[in-house]
Amino acid sequence: EKIAAKGIYRDGVRSSKSHFVKASGLCWISLMWLTNIPWAQRVWAFSFLTGLAPSERYYQTCGRKPKKSTDFARQMVFQWSRWLPDKALVVIGDNAYSGLDFLHAYQSLTQSVTLITRLRLDAALYEPAPVRQPKQKGHPRLKGKRLPTPRQVADNPHTLWTRRTLSWYDQPARTIEFCSFTVVWYHTGLSPVPVRYVLMRDVLGKFDPQALLSTDLALTPLLILTYFIRRW
């Protein structure tokens, strides 16, 4: 009862798609270094920076504006980049870190920091803004033509898929199909973010189609998938 920063959160272990379980506790955000351990024959995650994200209820008792978990995560990644100014960093996170404001924050960094997260299947995606012509009037355009959502691409029978067999977390290798596109993700009131997204589906239909995004447009689809699978 004396832990002021505690809150009520979804229990990811006991919850499922049809059953929601809440638990009282603290929300910790941890940056972990993923490295391959040869004798263990798998990737291990070593935590090197952890921060407490107090609950919204805690901020209400303090009379302060709540701070989102993405705000803490942004500060932690910025600190990490200051520790390793000469390194190209790749940050992998789940869909909690796929907000446009969170992704846009890294565009101002001079250091190479790539974010790979999940992408909503109903995300509003566009072509890049057309090149502004000399003496063209009006405000510069932020985006181009509206593109199909990842869900629409997945449901389109004419979509061209590439098939590969990949190591799948700690399970046997799995055969998946994927396609990739370079787009601009935009929402009214937020800054547009150019991303490469990879849409994948299981050949056997054991999981629903999923989309991943990368802020590095030069990353290949296979590398994006490989990076994301390493997080487990």
mmCIF file with all atom_site columns, all heavy atoms in Angstrom, residues 154-172:
data_model
loop_
_atom_site.group_PDB
_atom_site.id
_atom_site.type_symbol
_atom_site.label_atom_id
_atom_site.label_alt_id
_atom_site.label_comp_id
_atom_site.label_asym_id
_atom_site.label_entity_id
_atom_site.label_seq_id
_atom_site.pdbx_PDB_ins_code
_atom_site.Cartn_x
_atom_site.Cartn_y
_atom_site.Cartn_z
_atom_site.occupancy
_atom_site.B_iso_or_equiv
_atom_site.pdbx_formal_charge
_atom_site.auth_seq_id
_atom_site.auth_comp_id
_atom_site.auth_asym_id
_atom_site.auth_atom_id
_atom_site.pdbx_PDB_model_num
ATOM 1   N N   . ALA A 1 154 ? -3.423 -7.264  -47.484 1.00 0.00 ? 154 ALA A N   1
ATOM 2   C CA  . ALA A 1 154 ? -3.492 -8.680  -47.117 1.00 0.00 ? 154 ALA A CA  1
ATOM 3   C C   . ALA A 1 154 ? -4.702 -9.364  -47.725 1.00 0.00 ? 154 ALA A C   1
ATOM 4   O O   . ALA A 1 154 ? -4.645 -10.551 -48.082 1.00 0.00 ? 154 ALA A O   1
ATOM 5   C CB  . ALA A 1 154 ? -3.505 -8.817  -45.594 1.00 0.00 ? 154 ALA A CB  1
ATOM 6   N N   . ASP A 1 155 ? -5.803 -8.628  -47.858 1.00 0.00 ? 155 ASP A N   1
ATOM 7   C CA  . ASP A 1 155 ? -7.041 -9.213  -48.393 1.00 0.00 ? 155 ASP A CA  1
ATOM 8   C C   . ASP A 1 155 ? -7.092 -9.182  -49.917 1.00 0.00 ? 155 ASP A C   1
ATOM 9   O O   . ASP A 1 155 ? -7.995 -9.786  -50.504 1.00 0.00 ? 155 ASP A O   1
ATOM 10  C CB  . ASP A 1 155 ? -8.256 -8.463  -47.830 1.00 0.00 ? 155 ASP A CB  1
ATOM 11  C CG  . ASP A 1 155 ? -8.404 -8.655  -46.323 1.00 0.00 ? 155 ASP A CG  1
ATOM 12  O OD1 . ASP A 1 155 ? -7.852 -9.646  -45.803 1.00 0.00 ? 155 ASP A OD1 1
ATOM 13  O OD2 . ASP A 1 155 ? -9.057 -7.812  -45.676 1.00 0.00 ? 155 ASP A OD2 1
ATOM 14  N N   . ASN A 1 156 ? -6.162 -8.482  -50.552 1.00 0.00 ? 156 ASN A N   1
ATOM 15  C CA  . ASN A 1 156 ? -6.166 -8.368  -52.009 1.00 0.00 ? 156 ASN A CA  1
ATOM 16  C C   . ASN A 1 156 ? -5.616 -9.650  -52.644 1.00 0.00 ? 156 ASN A C   1
ATOM 17  O O   . ASN A 1 156 ? -4.466 -10.023 -52.406 1.00 0.00 ? 156 ASN A O   1
ATOM 18  C CB  . ASN A 1 156 ? -5.312 -7.173  -52.433 1.00 0.00 ? 156 ASN A CB  1
ATOM 19  C CG  . ASN A 1 156 ? -5.425 -6.878  -53.921 1.00 0.00 ? 156 ASN A CG  1
ATOM 20  O OD1 . ASN A 1 156 ? -5.897 -7.699  -54.710 1.00 0.00 ? 156 ASN A OD1 1
ATOM 21  N ND2 . ASN A 1 156 ? -4.998 -5.696  -54.327 1.00 0.00 ? 156 ASN A ND2 1
ATOM 22  N N   . PRO A 1 157 ? -6.404 -10.350 -53.448 1.00 0.00 ? 157 PRO A N   1
ATOM 23  C CA  . PRO A 1 157 ? -5.917 -11.609 -54.041 1.00 0.00 ? 157 PRO A CA  1
ATOM 24  C C   . PRO A 1 157 ? -4.800 -11.407 -55.058 1.00 0.00 ? 157 PRO A C   1
ATOM 25  O O   . PRO A 1 157 ? -4.132 -12.365 -55.437 1.00 0.00 ? 157 PRO A O   1
ATOM 26  C CB  . PRO A 1 157 ? -7.172 -12.187 -54.710 1.00 0.00 ? 157 PRO A CB  1
ATOM 27  C CG  . PRO A 1 157 ? -8.051 -10.997 -54.965 1.00 0.00 ? 157 PRO A CG  1
ATOM 28  C CD  . PRO A 1 157 ? -7.788 -10.050 -53.834 1.00 0.00 ? 157 PRO A CD  1
ATOM 29  N N   . HIS A 1 158 ? -4.571 -10.169 -55.514 1.00 0.00 ? 158 HIS A N   1
ATOM 30  C CA  . HIS A 1 158 ? -3.543 -9.896  -56.510 1.00 0.00 ? 158 HIS A CA  1
ATOM 31  C C   . HIS A 1 158 ? -2.200 -9.480  -55.884 1.00 0.00 ? 158 HIS A C   1
ATOM 32  O O   . HIS A 1 158 ? -1.257 -9.183  -56.614 1.00 0.00 ? 158 HIS A O   1
ATOM 33  C CB  . HIS A 1 158 ? -4.015 -8.796  -57.465 1.00 0.00 ? 158 HIS A CB  1
ATOM 34  C CG  . HIS A 1 158 ? -5.293 -9.146  -58.192 1.00 0.00 ? 158 HIS A CG  1
ATOM 35  N ND1 . HIS A 1 158 ? -5.365 -10.149 -59.128 1.00 0.00 ? 158 HIS A ND1 1
ATOM 36  C CD2 . HIS A 1 158 ? -6.547 -8.625  -58.087 1.00 0.00 ? 158 HIS A CD2 1
ATOM 37  C CE1 . HIS A 1 158 ? -6.602 -10.231 -59.590 1.00 0.00 ? 158 HIS A CE1 1
ATOM 38  N NE2 . HIS A 1 158 ? -7.344 -9.318  -58.984 1.00 0.00 ? 158 HIS A NE2 1
ATOM 39  N N   . THR A 1 159 ? -2.130 -9.442  -54.563 1.00 0.00 ? 159 THR A N   1
ATOM 40  C CA  . THR A 1 159 ? -0.876 -9.087  -53.905 1.00 0.00 ? 159 THR A CA  1
ATOM 41  C C   . THR A 1 159 ? 0.191  -10.142 -54.187 1.00 0.00 ? 159 THR A C   1
ATOM 42  O O   . THR A 1 159 ? -0.078 -11.349 -54.110 1.00 0.00 ? 159 THR A O   1
ATOM 43  C CB  . THR A 1 159 ? -1.083 -8.959  -52.384 1.00 0.00 ? 159 THR A CB  1
ATOM 44  O OG1 . THR A 1 159 ? -2.029 -7.911  -52.130 1.00 0.00 ? 159 THR A OG1 1
ATOM 45  C CG2 . THR A 1 159 ? 0.217  -8.614  -51.684 1.00 0.00 ? 159 THR A CG2 1
ATOM 46  N N   . LEU A 1 160 ? 1.392  -9.683  -54.510 1.00 0.00 ? 160 LEU A N   1
ATOM 47  C CA  . LEU A 1 160 ? 2.500  -10.595 -54.777 1.00 0.00 ? 160 LEU A CA  1
ATOM 48  C C   . LEU A 1 160 ? 3.273  -10.854 -53.482 1.00 0.00 ? 160 LEU A C   1
ATOM 49  O O   . LEU A 1 160 ? 3.745  -9.917  -52.839 1.00 0.00 ? 160 LEU A O   1
ATOM 50  C CB  . LEU A 1 160 ? 3.433  -9.990  -55.833 1.00 0.00 ? 160 LEU A CB  1
ATOM 51  C CG  . LEU A 1 160 ? 2.802  -9.732  -57.211 1.00 0.00 ? 160 LEU A CG  1
ATOM 52  C CD1 . LEU A 1 160 ? 3.827  -9.090  -58.143 1.00 0.00 ? 160 LEU A CD1 1
ATOM 53  C CD2 . LEU A 1 160 ? 2.264  -11.022 -57.810 1.00 0.00 ? 160 LEU A CD2 1
ATOM 54  N N   . TRP A 1 161 ? 3.389  -12.124 -53.114 1.00 0.00 ? 161 TRP A N   1
ATOM 55  C CA  . TRP A 1 161 ? 4.030  -12.512 -51.880 1.00 0.00 ? 161 TRP A CA  1
ATOM 56  C C   . TRP A 1 161 ? 5.350  -13.234 -52.159 1.00 0.00 ? 161 TRP A C   1
ATOM 57  O O   . TRP A 1 161 ? 5.490  -13.939 -53.151 1.00 0.00 ? 161 TRP A O   1
ATOM 58  C CB  . TRP A 1 161 ? 3.127  -13.434 -51.056 1.00 0.00 ? 161 TRP A CB  1
ATOM 59  C CG  . TRP A 1 161 ? 1.820  -12.825 -50.677 1.00 0.00 ? 161 TRP A CG  1
ATOM 60  C CD1 . TRP A 1 161 ? 0.665  -12.828 -51.400 1.00 0.00 ? 161 TRP A CD1 1
ATOM 61  C CD2 . TRP A 1 161 ? 1.521  -12.112 -49.471 1.00 0.00 ? 161 TRP A CD2 1
ATOM 62  N NE1 . TRP A 1 161 ? -0.339 -12.178 -50.726 1.00 0.00 ? 161 TRP A NE1 1
ATOM 63  C CE2 . TRP A 1 161 ? 0.164  -11.730 -49.542 1.00 0.00 ? 161 TRP A CE2 1
ATOM 64  C CE3 . TRP A 1 161 ? 2.257  -11.776 -48.337 1.00 0.00 ? 161 TRP A CE3 1
ATOM 65  C CZ2 . TRP A 1 161 ? -0.458 -11.019 -48.518 1.00 0.00 ? 161 TRP A CZ2 1
ATOM 66  C CZ3 . TRP A 1 161 ? 1.645  -11.076 -47.317 1.00 0.00 ? 161 TRP A CZ3 1
ATOM 67  C CH2 . TRP A 1 161 ? 0.303  -10.695 -47.402 1.00 0.00 ? 161 TRP A CH2 1
ATOM 68  N N   . THR A 1 162 ? 6.298  -13.072 -51.242 1.00 0.00 ? 162 THR A N   1
ATOM 69  C CA  . THR A 1 162 ? 7.557  -13.815 -51.268 1.00 0.00 ? 162 THR A CA  1
ATOM 70  C C   . THR A 1 162 ? 7.541  -14.830 -50.142 1.00 0.00 ? 162 THR A C   1
ATOM 71  O O   . THR A 1 162 ? 7.188  -14.488 -49.007 1.00 0.00 ? 162 THR A O   1
ATOM 72  C CB  . THR A 1 162 ? 8.766  -12.871 -51.098 1.00 0.00 ? 162 THR A CB  1
ATOM 73  O OG1 . THR A 1 162 ? 8.775  -11.919 -52.160 1.00 0.00 ? 162 THR A OG1 1
ATOM 74  C CG2 . THR A 1 162 ? 10.068 -13.664 -51.130 1.00 0.00 ? 162 THR A CG2 1
ATOM 75  N N   . ARG A 1 163 ? 7.907  -16.065 -50.424 1.00 0.00 ? 163 ARG A N   1
ATOM 76  C CA  . ARG A 1 163 ? 7.859  -17.126 -49.416 1.00 0.00 ? 163 ARG A CA  1
ATOM 77  C C   . ARG A 1 163 ? 9.257  -17.466 -48.919 1.00 0.00 ? 163 ARG A C   1
ATOM 78  O O   . ARG A 1 163 ? 10.183 -17.633 -49.707 1.00 0.00 ? 163 ARG A O   1
ATOM 79  C CB  . ARG A 1 163 ? 7.190  -18.372 -49.993 1.00 0.00 ? 163 ARG A CB  1
ATOM 80  C CG  . ARG A 1 163 ? 7.075  -19.540 -49.022 1.00 0.00 ? 163 ARG A CG  1
ATOM 81  C CD  . ARG A 1 163 ? 6.232  -20.674 -49.573 1.00 0.00 ? 163 ARG A CD  1
ATOM 82  N NE  . ARG A 1 163 ? 4.830  -20.276 -49.744 1.00 0.00 ? 163 ARG A NE  1
ATOM 83  C CZ  . ARG A 1 163 ? 3.848  -21.147 -49.982 1.00 0.00 ? 163 ARG A CZ  1
ATOM 84  N NH1 . ARG A 1 163 ? 4.123  -22.443 -50.083 1.00 0.00 ? 163 ARG A NH1 1
ATOM 85  N NH2 . ARG A 1 163 ? 2.610  -20.719 -50.121 1.00 0.00 ? 163 ARG A NH2 1
ATOM 86  N N   . ARG A 1 164 ? 9.409  -17.549 -47.584 1.00 0.00 ? 164 ARG A N   1
ATOM 87  C CA  . ARG A 1 164 ? 10.670 -17.916 -46.964 1.00 0.00 ? 164 ARG A CA  1
ATOM 88  C C   . ARG A 1 164 ? 10.402 -18.763 -45.712 1.00 0.00 ? 164 ARG A C   1
ATOM 89  O O   . ARG A 1 164 ? 9.354  -18.642 -45.080 1.00 0.00 ? 164 ARG A O   1
ATOM 90  C CB  . ARG A 1 164 ? 11.475 -16.670 -46.549 1.00 0.00 ? 164 ARG A CB  1
ATOM 91  C CG  . ARG A 1 164 ? 12.049 -15.866 -47.686 1.00 0.00 ? 164 ARG A CG  1
ATOM 92  C CD  . ARG A 1 164 ? 13.213 -16.579 -48.358 1.00 0.00 ? 164 ARG A CD  1
ATOM 93  N NE  . ARG A 1 164 ? 13.877 -15.722 -49.332 1.00 0.00 ? 164 ARG A NE  1
ATOM 94  C CZ  . ARG A 1 164 ? 13.481 -15.545 -50.574 1.00 0.00 ? 164 ARG A CZ  1
ATOM 95  N NH1 . ARG A 1 164 ? 12.372 -16.169 -51.011 1.00 0.00 ? 164 ARG A NH1 1
ATOM 96  N NH2 . ARG A 1 164 ? 14.150 -14.747 -51.388 1.00 0.00 ? 164 ARG A NH2 1
ATOM 97  N N   . THR A 1 165 ? 11.368 -19.599 -45.357 1.00 0.00 ? 165 THR A N   1
ATOM 98  C CA  . THR A 1 165 ? 11.320 -20.359 -44.111 1.00 0.00 ? 165 THR A CA  1
ATOM 99  C C   . THR A 1 165 ? 12.323 -19.751 -43.143 1.00 0.00 ? 165 THR A C   1
ATOM 100 O O   . THR A 1 165 ? 13.515 -19.675 -43.442 1.00 0.00 ? 165 THR A O   1
ATOM 101 C CB  . THR A 1 165 ? 11.648 -21.841 -44.352 1.00 0.00 ? 165 THR A CB  1
ATOM 102 O OG1 . THR A 1 165 ? 10.684 -22.392 -45.263 1.00 0.00 ? 165 THR A OG1 1
ATOM 103 C CG2 . THR A 1 165 ? 11.593 -22.622 -43.044 1.00 0.00 ? 165 THR A CG2 1
ATOM 104 N N   . LEU A 1 166 ? 11.826 -19.298 -41.973 1.00 0.00 ? 166 LEU A N   1
ATOM 105 C CA  . LEU A 1 166 ? 12.656 -18.576 -41.015 1.00 0.00 ? 166 LEU A CA  1
ATOM 106 C C   . LEU A 1 166 ? 12.641 -19.256 -39.654 1.00 0.00 ? 166 LEU A C   1
ATOM 107 O O   . LEU A 1 166 ? 11.659 -19.921 -39.290 1.00 0.00 ? 166 LEU A O   1
ATOM 108 C CB  . LEU A 1 166 ? 12.161 -17.136 -40.851 1.00 0.00 ? 166 LEU A CB  1
ATOM 109 C CG  . LEU A 1 166 ? 12.091 -16.261 -42.113 1.00 0.00 ? 166 LEU A CG  1
ATOM 110 C CD1 . LEU A 1 166 ? 11.451 -14.925 -41.765 1.00 0.00 ? 166 LEU A CD1 1
ATOM 111 C CD2 . LEU A 1 166 ? 13.465 -16.055 -42.710 1.00 0.00 ? 166 LEU A CD2 1
ATOM 112 N N   . SER A 1 167 ? 13.724 -19.073 -38.904 1.00 0.00 ? 167 SER A N   1
ATOM 113 C CA  . SER A 1 167 ? 13.724 -19.478 -37.502 1.00 0.00 ? 167 SER A CA  1
ATOM 114 C C   . SER A 1 167 ? 12.685 -18.634 -36.776 1.00 0.00 ? 167 SER A C   1
ATOM 115 O O   . SER A 1 167 ? 12.624 -17.413 -36.964 1.00 0.00 ? 167 SER A O   1
ATOM 116 C CB  . SER A 1 167 ? 15.108 -19.264 -36.886 1.00 0.00 ? 167 SER A CB  1
ATOM 117 O OG  . SER A 1 167 ? 16.074 -20.042 -37.556 1.00 0.00 ? 167 SER A OG  1
ATOM 118 N N   . TRP A 1 168 ? 11.869 -19.274 -35.939 1.00 0.00 ? 168 TRP A N   1
ATOM 119 C CA  . TRP A 1 168 ? 10.719 -18.579 -35.368 1.00 0.00 ? 168 TRP A CA  1
ATOM 120 C C   . TRP A 1 168 ? 10.768 -18.618 -33.847 1.00 0.00 ? 168 TRP A C   1
ATOM 121 O O   . TRP A 1 168 ? 10.349 -19.575 -33.213 1.00 0.00 ? 168 TRP A O   1
ATOM 122 C CB  . TRP A 1 168 ? 9.421  -19.214 -35.871 1.00 0.00 ? 168 TRP A CB  1
ATOM 123 C CG  . TRP A 1 168 ? 8.236  -18.336 -35.686 1.00 0.00 ? 168 TRP A CG  1
ATOM 124 C CD1 . TRP A 1 168 ? 7.294  -18.424 -34.715 1.00 0.00 ? 168 TRP A CD1 1
ATOM 125 C CD2 . TRP A 1 168 ? 7.862  -17.221 -36.496 1.00 0.00 ? 168 TRP A CD2 1
ATOM 126 N NE1 . TRP A 1 168 ? 6.357  -17.435 -34.859 1.00 0.00 ? 168 TRP A NE1 1
ATOM 127 C CE2 . TRP A 1 168 ? 6.681  -16.681 -35.950 1.00 0.00 ? 168 TRP A CE2 1
ATOM 128 C CE3 . TRP A 1 168 ? 8.422  -16.621 -37.621 1.00 0.00 ? 168 TRP A CE3 1
ATOM 129 C CZ2 . TRP A 1 168 ? 6.051  -15.584 -36.494 1.00 0.00 ? 168 TRP A CZ2 1
ATOM 130 C CZ3 . TRP A 1 168 ? 7.791  -15.519 -38.164 1.00 0.00 ? 168 TRP A CZ3 1
ATOM 131 C CH2 . TRP A 1 168 ? 6.618  -15.013 -37.616 1.00 0.00 ? 168 TRP A CH2 1
ATOM 132 N N   . TYR A 1 169 ? 11.324 -17.566 -33.267 1.00 0.00 ? 169 TYR A N   1
ATOM 133 C CA  . TYR A 1 169 ? 11.457 -17.468 -31.821 1.00 0.00 ? 169 TYR A CA  1
ATOM 134 C C   . TYR A 1 169 ? 12.130 -18.743 -31.294 1.00 0.00 ? 169 TYR A C   1
ATOM 135 O O   . TYR A 1 169 ? 13.140 -19.188 -31.808 1.00 0.00 ? 169 TYR A O   1
ATOM 136 C CB  . TYR A 1 169 ? 10.113 -17.201 -31.153 1.00 0.00 ? 169 TYR A CB  1
ATOM 137 C CG  . TYR A 1 169 ? 9.458  -15.924 -31.644 1.00 0.00 ? 169 TYR A CG  1
ATOM 138 C CD1 . TYR A 1 169 ? 8.255  -15.940 -32.340 1.00 0.00 ? 169 TYR A CD1 1
ATOM 139 C CD2 . TYR A 1 169 ? 10.068 -14.697 -31.441 1.00 0.00 ? 169 TYR A CD2 1
ATOM 140 C CE1 . TYR A 1 169 ? 7.665  -14.766 -32.795 1.00 0.00 ? 169 TYR A CE1 1
ATOM 141 C CE2 . TYR A 1 169 ? 9.496  -13.521 -31.880 1.00 0.00 ? 169 TYR A CE2 1
ATOM 142 C CZ  . TYR A 1 169 ? 8.295  -13.557 -32.566 1.00 0.00 ? 169 TYR A CZ  1
ATOM 143 O OH  . TYR A 1 169 ? 7.725  -12.412 -33.013 1.00 0.00 ? 169 TYR A OH  1
ATOM 144 N N   . ASP A 1 170 ? 11.566 -19.396 -30.273 1.00 0.00 ? 170 ASP A N   1
ATOM 145 C CA  . ASP A 1 170 ? 12.143 -20.624 -29.754 1.00 0.00 ? 170 ASP A CA  1
ATOM 146 C C   . ASP A 1 170 ? 11.385 -21.851 -30.256 1.00 0.00 ? 170 ASP A C   1
ATOM 147 O O   . ASP A 1 170 ? 11.441 -22.922 -29.671 1.00 0.00 ? 170 ASP A O   1
ATOM 148 C CB  . ASP A 1 170 ? 12.151 -20.602 -28.221 1.00 0.00 ? 170 ASP A CB  1
ATOM 149 C CG  . ASP A 1 170 ? 10.760 -20.418 -27.645 1.00 0.00 ? 170 ASP A CG  1
ATOM 150 O OD1 . ASP A 1 170 ? 9.830  -20.110 -28.426 1.00 0.00 ? 170 ASP A OD1 1
ATOM 151 O OD2 . ASP A 1 170 ? 10.585 -20.577 -26.424 1.00 0.00 ? 170 ASP A OD2 1
ATOM 152 N N   . GLN A 1 171 ? 10.670 -21.683 -31.370 1.00 0.00 ? 171 GLN A N   1
ATOM 153 C CA  . GLN A 1 171 ? 9.894  -22.762 -31.956 1.00 0.00 ? 171 GLN A CA  1
ATOM 154 C C   . GLN A 1 171 ? 10.600 -23.276 -33.212 1.00 0.00 ? 171 GLN A C   1
ATOM 155 O O   . GLN A 1 171 ? 11.577 -22.688 -33.674 1.00 0.00 ? 171 GLN A O   1
ATOM 156 C CB  . GLN A 1 171 ? 8.482  -22.265 -32.311 1.00 0.00 ? 171 GLN A CB  1
ATOM 157 C CG  . GLN A 1 171 ? 7.733  -21.651 -31.138 1.00 0.00 ? 171 GLN A CG  1
ATOM 158 C CD  . GLN A 1 171 ? 6.420  -21.039 -31.568 1.00 0.00 ? 171 GLN A CD  1
ATOM 159 O OE1 . GLN A 1 171 ? 5.871  -21.357 -32.621 1.00 0.00 ? 171 GLN A OE1 1
ATOM 160 N NE2 . GLN A 1 171 ? 5.890  -20.150 -30.740 1.00 0.00 ? 171 GLN A NE2 1
ATOM 161 N N   . PRO A 1 172 ? 10.103 -24.376 -33.786 1.00 0.00 ? 172 PRO A N   1
ATOM 162 C CA  . PRO A 1 172 ? 10.683 -24.855 -35.050 1.00 0.00 ? 172 PRO A CA  1
ATOM 163 C C   . PRO A 1 172 ? 10.525 -23.811 -36.149 1.00 0.00 ? 172 PRO A C   1
ATOM 164 O O   . PRO A 1 172 ? 9.676  -22.911 -36.074 1.00 0.00 ? 172 PRO A O   1
ATOM 165 C CB  . PRO A 1 172 ? 9.846  -26.111 -35.356 1.00 0.00 ? 172 PRO A CB  1
ATOM 166 C CG  . PRO A 1 172 ? 9.311  -26.547 -34.025 1.00 0.00 ? 172 PRO A CG  1
ATOM 167 C CD  . PRO A 1 172 ? 9.089  -25.289 -33.240 1.00 0.00 ? 172 PRO A CD  1
#
